[in-house]
């Protein structure tokens, strides 16, 4: 079997202290590794010099999803009273919102023992009722607010008031006030993500203004879900059950995708959305595309991305552009040059 199909082939060793737990300031002072496929050359620079490398004729695609405060803490409602008059049940719970399934049902992760019918109580009279269990450990719930069913657009407002920014678990710290700005892109618009499209976090207002002046920019929306952090825990990568995430591509962006213009995708989420459209012609729905060396890009010509977890679908996506061996070579060099890894870490531009 090809090594490209084995999950263990995408492993690498990251020394302690290389995981970024906070961004650099200013944002564009992050390191940038530039890899040119035509010349097979590597350049080490900083993000503020990004536009020195992006081809002038290139159109830029960005993800305008907005991260919501998807992490909330509460307690289970008491379920019964014993013979001595003490209530039973209760206990603390943590809920991580993932995405809406329909008008009133939502996919979530719950930390704390629950059963179907369990009611979870949160601040501001928000109540979640567990309605189903899924094999992957996720749960389906309905929400009421002050006793009335609540739709997603109103639920987001409640979560923003009582919730916490859902930092990736590998940061191993609680969120703080700075994360409300740091873990959000400058152009975040449509609420629904539980993880940031991190390649876009490096832009300062000045650099982004310059980008818009020098290039045609286009927005798509893909609400990054918790599944983006789901590890590939099967031996062969193609056996991995790929997560799906809601996306929308406006008509103005579709016109460019149907042209032959070179495209720089800012991030893996943009890449997956564009490539899903190319394969399906769908401009809205659930994207579950798995890009890897056996399923390579058809439309995206250049990629800007961060450095990703070992054995993740994201490092496999990078390998779809430049091959697994070259990807691991670049990661090795980034470690040798003390790059910072993962969501708040440094960036790589593939030309």
């Amino acid at each position: 079997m090809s090594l490209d199909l084995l999950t263990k082939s995408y492993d690498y060793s990251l020394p302690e202290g290389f995981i970024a737990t906070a961004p650099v300031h200013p944002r564009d002072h992050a390191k940038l590794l530039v890899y040119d496929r035509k010349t097979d050359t590597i350049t080490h620079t900083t993000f503020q010099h990004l536009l020195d490398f992006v081809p002038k004729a290139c159109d830029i695609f960005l993800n305008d999803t907005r991260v919501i405060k998807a992490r909330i803490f509460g307690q289970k409602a008491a379920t019964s009273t014993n013979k001595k008059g003490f209530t039973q049940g209760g206990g603390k719970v943590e809920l991580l919102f993932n995405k809406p399934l329909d008008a009133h049902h939502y996919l979530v992760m719950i930390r704390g023992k629950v059963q179907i019918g369990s009611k979870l109580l949160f601040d501001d009279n928000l109540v979640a009722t567990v309605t189903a269990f899924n094999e992957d450990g996720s749960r389906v719930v309905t929400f009421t607010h002050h006793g009335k069913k609540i739709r997603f657009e109103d639920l987001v407002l409640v979560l923003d008031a009582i919730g916490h920014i859902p930092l990736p678990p590998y940061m191993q710290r609680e969120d703080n006030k700075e994360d409300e700005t740091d873990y959000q892109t400058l152009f975040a618009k449509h609420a629904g993500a539980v993880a940031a499209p991190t390649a876009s976090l490096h832009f300062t207002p000045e650099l982004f203004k310059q980008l818009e002046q020098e290039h045609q920019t286009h927005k798509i929306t893909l609400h990054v879900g918790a599944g983006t952090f789901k590890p590939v825990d099967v031996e062969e990568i193609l056996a991995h059950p790929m997560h799906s995430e809601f996306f929308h591509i406006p008509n103005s962006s579709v016109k460019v995708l149907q042209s032959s213009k070179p495209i720089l995708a800012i991030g893996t989420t943009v890449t997956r959305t564009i490539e899903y459209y190319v394969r399906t012609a769908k401009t809205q729905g659930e994207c579950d595309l798995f890009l890897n060396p056996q399923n390579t890009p058809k439309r995206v010509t250049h990629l800007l991305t961060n450095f990703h977890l070992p054995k993740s679908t994201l490092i496999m996506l990078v390998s779809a552009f430049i091959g697994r061996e070259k990807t691991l070579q670049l990661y090795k060099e980034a470690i040798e040059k003390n790059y910072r890894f993962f969501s708040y870490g440094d960036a790589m531009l593939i030309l």
Side-chain angles (χ1 to χ4, degrees):
M1 179 179 291
S2 168
L3 291 176
D4 287 346
L5 292 176
L6 297 178
T7 301
K8 65 181 181 182
S9 300
Y10 297 88
D11 197 8
Y12 67 91
S13 179
L14 187 65
E16 189 175 349
F18 275 68
I19 298 175
T21 58
V24 297
H25 290 288
R27 293 186 184 201
D28 61 0
H29 280 47
K31 292 180 180 180
L32 176 66
L33 186 156
V34 181
Y35 175 61
D36 190 322
R37 287 174 285 181
K38 290 182 179 178
T39 59
D40 191 28
T41 55
I42 300 169
T43 304
H44 295 285
T45 182
T46 54
F47 199 86
Q48 60 191 320
H49 299 296
L50 170 70
L51 298 184
D52 295 340
F53 297 91
V54 177
K56 296 303 180 186
C58 203
D59 277 29
I60 313 294
F61 275 73
L62 306 119
N63 185 358
D64 63 3
T65 187
R66 180 167 74 83
V67 179
I68 62 177
K69 292 184 178 181
R71 193 174 175 221
I72 53 177
F73 298 89
Q75 62 185 36
K76 287 179 282 186
T79 55
S80 62
T81 304
N82 64 18
K83 293 179 180 179
K84 295 184 178 180
F86 294 107
T87 56
Q88 296 176 321
K92 294 180 179 180
V93 290
E94 175 185 338
L95 183 148
L96 177 66
F97 177 92
N98 194 352
K99 63 181 180 181
L101 297 175
D102 57 37
H104 295 295
H105 291 84
Y106 303 91
L107 190 68
V108 304
M109 300 295 292
I110 297 172
R111 182 175 293 172
K113 190 175 181 180
V114 296
Q115 57 192 13
I116 292 177
S118 291
K119 291 188 179 298
L120 315 179
L121 314 179
F122 302 98
D123 289 344
D124 196 21
N125 287 309
L126 182 69
V127 178
T129 302
V130 180
T131 63
F133 285 11
N134 295 323
E135 291 183 2
D136 63 0
S138 62
R139 307 290 186 242
V140 178
V141 302
T142 59
F143 284 103
T144 59
H145 186 229
H146 294 284
K148 296 181 180 179
K149 285 186 176 181
I150 185 170
R151 298 177 71 93
F152 175 65
E153 55 268 28
D154 297 315
L155 175 62
V156 167
L157 300 178
V158 178
L159 293 177
D160 280 347
I162 70 172
H164 295 258
I165 292 291
L167 293 180
Y170 49 69
M171 286 192 191
Q172 296 186 335
R173 69 169 176 85
E174 295 301 313
D175 64 303
N176 56 43
K177 194 68 177 176
E178 288 73 25
D179 293 312
E180 295 181 18
T181 302
D182 289 341
Y183 202 59
Q184 201 78 266
T185 67
L186 294 172
F187 41 85
K189 182 178 181 181
H190 301 291
V194 300
T198 55
S200 297
L201 296 180
H202 301 291
F203 286 103
T204 59
E206 297 77 16
L207 181 60
F208 189 68
K209 182 179 179 181
Q210 186 183 352
L211 176 77
E212 291 186 307
Q213 289 172 343
E214 296 185 15
H215 295 270
Q216 292 291 321
T217 61
H218 312 276
K219 307 287 181 24
I220 59 95
T221 305
L222 181 131
H223 291 322
V224 193
T228 193
F229 300 117
K230 181 178 174 59
V232 179
D233 53 12
V234 290
E235 186 176 339
E236 299 175 25
I237 67 171
L238 299 183
H240 175 70
M242 191 67 181
H243 60 285
S244 67
E245 296 158 319
F246 176 82
F247 76 97
H248 171 72
I249 305 174
N251 290 335
S252 57
S253 298
V254 169
K255 292 178 181 178
V256 180
L257 296 181
Q258 292 174 341
S259 74
S260 58
K261 288 185 176 181
I263 289 175
L264 168 62
I266 307 293
T268 59
T269 61
V270 172
T271 302
R272 291 180 59 240
T273 305
I274 291 173
E275 293 296 328
Y276 187 77
Y277 166 76
V278 170
R279 288 157 172 76
T280 66
K282 294 179 180 178
T283 58
Q284 182 168 302
E286 291 284 325
C287 173
D288 60 357
L289 181 64
F290 181 16
L291 291 172
N292 58 74
Q294 300 268 318
N295 187 19
T296 57
K298 299 173 185 277
R299 183 65 183 89
V300 175
T301 43
H302 312 292
L303 171 66
L304 178 73
T305 188
N306 282 19
F307 293 89
H308 304 292
L309 289 160
K311 298 192 288 187
S312 65
T313 59
L314 301 181
I315 194 172
M316 294 167 190
L317 182 150
V318 176
S319 300
F321 278 86
I322 58 176
R324 178 182 53 83
E325 292 181 353
K326 178 59 68 174
T327 299
L328 293 175
Q329 176 193 331
L330 296 182
Y331 273 51
K332 183 175 183 290
E333 174 143 350
I335 292 171
E336 291 172 354
K337 299 290 186 180
N338 291 309
Y339 277 62
R340 302 159 77 249
F341 276 56
F342 308 157
S343 296
Y344 275 152
D346 297 316
M348 175 165 63
L349 175 64
I350 298 173
L351 297 174

